Amino acid sequence: MRHKASRFEVKVRNRSNTASIVAAAAYCTGGRYRCDRTGKVKNYSRRRDVVSVESIKLPNDPEKVFNAACSKEKHPRARLAREILVSLPHELPLKRQRVLVRGFCLWMHDRYGMSSMAAIHHPLAHGLDQEILRDMIPMTEGQKEVPKLRKDERGNPLNQHVHILCPTRFWNDETGSFGQKIRDLDGIVSGPQIVQEMRDEWQKRVNRELTKANVPMLVDLRSYEKAAANGDAPGGLTPQPKMGPRNTARKRRRILENGSDDTHLGKTRAKIQAKNEELWKSWLLIRDLEREKARLKDSELIAAKNETARLAKVDEANTNIESARTADARAKAIENAPHLDTLDPTRAAILWAQGRMEKKIDPKSDRTIDPETETAATPESKQQPRFAMSQKAKQRARPPRQRQRKIGS
């Protein structure tokens, strides 16, 4: 099954869907910035989930940079920046996440000339928030304002992600300003191709880090249809509807109040999740059975191939033995024959010790011999054995001691 951090979303920030790109930068970085175009100040300094902010090939002043990006655009529907929202695996520590994000941003700059600012968010990064502390303070008489109850858990601690804001123009370090537009991403044909290249590069990089961390599940940014067509996912998987911030907050509130999300959207998502899990389980079981069947088939083919090669060598050895003209040549051919292992005592002993020697017992020789009249060397010759005792020696031999019986027993 694919990793839950399989998310790579590219948003275009323009003046029609973004009131202020400076405010968006303040939200990502958790700072207090003033927009020169609107004259408003956005303060997100009380955010507790921003754990890392880094500028790649840009000055370390997001307020100045994005004010310059906004003032450079004159069109009322101009594109100001692109925001790349990527989920981060929670199994990776923050240090490895920073290295991963920094390497990806440098790759984008080297390949497409895109400078960027990356802000990593970890929900509940700073432990207890102010609302929990306020709930712990006892209410006193005469208090006018009743403390508000906490509405949610302040997010899922596994929801670790990064916001990458990329201006739409080239940044010139010499002049300290923005230059021409990056037109490759605006093309109808080239734009989707570049986005797909970015998705493939991120998937390759994050899966490399997950493999190093010994995480069994990997990130897969393909759609369910493409994954099923390539044989990497079951068919019939249903994508879950997106909830959005309001529905997510309502879900957390219902879970705190009732223990489960009993809304229509919550029930729909629960049904889809249960169905997808059943499809994954059955598909994985069928895939394991097919792999075992293919393995057995390959084993049979290899065994048949080896047996054919062995029989060919046996036929060749028999031909060499029959065609030998002298006794020495015949003995050498018999010695080199691969199927006559009993002629080599050392090899026969090794095979017997390994349990690989055929156990064939001759019924004529597998019998108890008479030590009086037979020997092991010549059991049927009726010759006197060398170790046989003479009649005089038998008479002198001491008879076995008999057990004494007690009187009265």
Side-chain angles (χ1 to χ4, degrees):
M1 299 177 67
R2 62 177 62 184
H3 199 281
K4 291 186 178 180
S6 301
R7 181 189 182 188
F8 189 98
E9 185 177 355
V10 180
K11 300 179 182 179
V12 178
R13 294 285 188 174
N14 52 35
R15 289 201 171 115
S16 61
N17 60 13
T18 304
S20 174
I21 190 62
V22 181
Y27 173 84
C28 295
T29 61
R32 184 181 183 273
Y33 300 155
R34 181 182 182 277
C35 181
D36 296 340
R37 186 177 67 88
T38 60
K40 295 182 180 180
V41 177
K42 287 294 182 179
N43 186 8
Y44 292 97
S45 59
R46 298 182 65 183
R47 290 183 63 98
R48 296 171 296 277
D49 58 347
V50 181
V51 295
S52 175
V53 178
E54 186 174 2
S55 297
I56 294 89
K57 300 300 180 179
L58 282 177
N60 193 16
D61 190 356
E63 181 180 6
K64 178 182 177 181
V65 168
F66 287 97
N67 272 316
C70 184
S71 62
K72 193 72 175 178
E73 306 295 340
K74 304 302 181 182
H75 198 276
R77 296 191 301 273
R79 296 182 175 182
L80 306 175
R82 286 180 175 84
E83 180 182 4
I84 304 175
L85 183 58
V86 188
S87 296
L88 297 174
H90 67 276
E91 294 88 352
L92 301 179
L94 178 60
K95 182 179 179 180
R96 298 308 307 168
Q97 291 179 355
R98 287 174 177 171
V99 173
L100 178 63
V101 173
R102 186 186 304 120
F104 178 72
C105 293
L106 289 173
W107 175 83
M108 287 195 303
H109 181 269
D110 295 340
R111 190 171 182 86
Y112 308 112
M114 296 172 57
S115 303
S116 57
M117 181 203 66
I120 299 178
H121 291 185
H122 285 190
L124 302 179
H126 300 286
L128 296 176
D129 56 3
Q130 295 182 0
E131 293 182 354
I132 298 178
L133 295 176
R134 185 172 58 182
D135 293 344
M136 297 172 63
I137 300 175
M139 296 179 59
T140 58
E141 295 183 1
Q143 187 175 4
K144 295 182 180 180
E145 183 180 358
V146 179
K148 296 181 180 179
L149 298 176
R150 289 188 298 117
K151 295 182 179 180
D152 53 0
E153 297 178 348
R154 286 299 179 191
N156 187 354
L158 303 182
N159 183 22
Q160 301 177 9
H161 56 278
V162 58
H163 296 263
I164 304 176
L165 276 180
C166 305
T168 57
R169 292 179 178 269
F170 294 100
W171 175 260
N172 192 345
D173 291 331
E174 298 179 357
T175 60
S177 60
F178 286 101
Q180 297 180 354
K181 277 272 192 178
I182 305 176
R183 293 298 182 183
D184 294 339
L185 278 82
D186 296 334
I188 299 177
V189 178
S190 61
Q193 293 178 355
I194 293 177
V195 172
Q196 186 61 40
E197 291 177 1
M198 293 162 60
R199 292 170 65 90
D200 295 341
E201 182 67 21
W202 173 260
Q203 178 177 326
K204 181 178 67 175
R205 290 173 177 267
V206 70
N207 286 339
R208 187 189 304 126
E209 293 293 334
L210 291 175
T211 304
K212 292 180 181 179
N214 296 325
V215 179
M217 291 186 294
L218 300 178
V219 171
D220 190 357
L221 299 178
R222 297 174 298 176
S223 63
Y224 286 149
E225 291 78 8
K226 291 183 179 179
N230 295 332
D232 298 331
L237 292 174
T238 305
Q240 300 181 18
K242 188 175 180 180
M243 298 187 68
R246 294 184 178 180
N247 291 329
T248 302
R250 183 177 61 177
K251 169 189 173 182
R252 295 171 184 159
R253 186 168 60 251
R254 292 295 182 88
I255 292 176
L256 289 174
E257 294 175 355
N258 305 328
S260 61
D261 186 11
D262 55 354
T263 61
H264 176 71
L265 183 59
K267 294 179 180 179
T268 303
R269 286 174 61 89
K271 291 181 181 179
I272 293 176
Q273 290 177 0
K275 178 184 175 183
N276 290 344
E277 289 180 0
E278 291 296 330
L279 289 175
W280 273 109
K281 290 180 181 179
S282 59
W283 180 78
L284 290 174
L285 180 60
I286 294 174
R287 188 187 64 172
D288 293 341
L289 294 176
E290 291 179 351
R291 287 181 176 179
E292 183 65 18
K293 182 179 178 180
R295 186 187 67 80
L296 294 176
K297 185 177 180 180
D298 294 341
S299 301
E300 293 177 357
L301 293 176
I302 294 173
K305 182 178 179 181
N306 294 339
E307 182 65 17
T308 303
R310 190 189 69 82
L311 293 177
K313 292 181 179 179
V314 169
D315 294 340
E316 182 180 358
N318 292 334
T319 303
N320 294 334
I321 293 172
E322 293 176 358
S323 61
R325 297 183 179 180
T326 62
D328 295 339
R330 181 178 179 84
K332 188 175 181 180
I334 293 175
E335 182 180 358
N336 296 331
H339 61 294
L340 300 177
D341 296 333
T342 55
L343 297 178
D344 187 356
T346 304
R347 180 176 177 81
I350 293 174
L351 294 177
W352 177 82
Q354 294 177 351
R356 295 164 52 190
M357 194 172 183
E358 297 182 358
K359 299 180 180 179
K360 293 183 179 180
I361 300 176
D362 188 5
K364 295 183 179 180
S365 61
D366 186 23
R367 62 185 182 83
T368 304
I369 63 176
D370 186 6
E372 299 291 338
T373 60
E374 298 178 350
T375 62
T378 56
E380 299 179 357
S381 61
K382 303 299 182 180
Q383 296 179 1
Q384 187 71 15
R386 296 179 182 179
F387 55 87
M389 297 175 63
S390 62
Q391 192 68 22
K392 188 177 182 179
K394 290 181 180 180
Q395 292 178 359
R396 291 180 180 180
R398 185 177 180 180
R401 184 177 179 181
Q402 298 294 332
R403 180 181 178 185
Q404 296 181 359
R405 300 181 61 183
K406 294 182 180 179
I407 301 174
S409 60

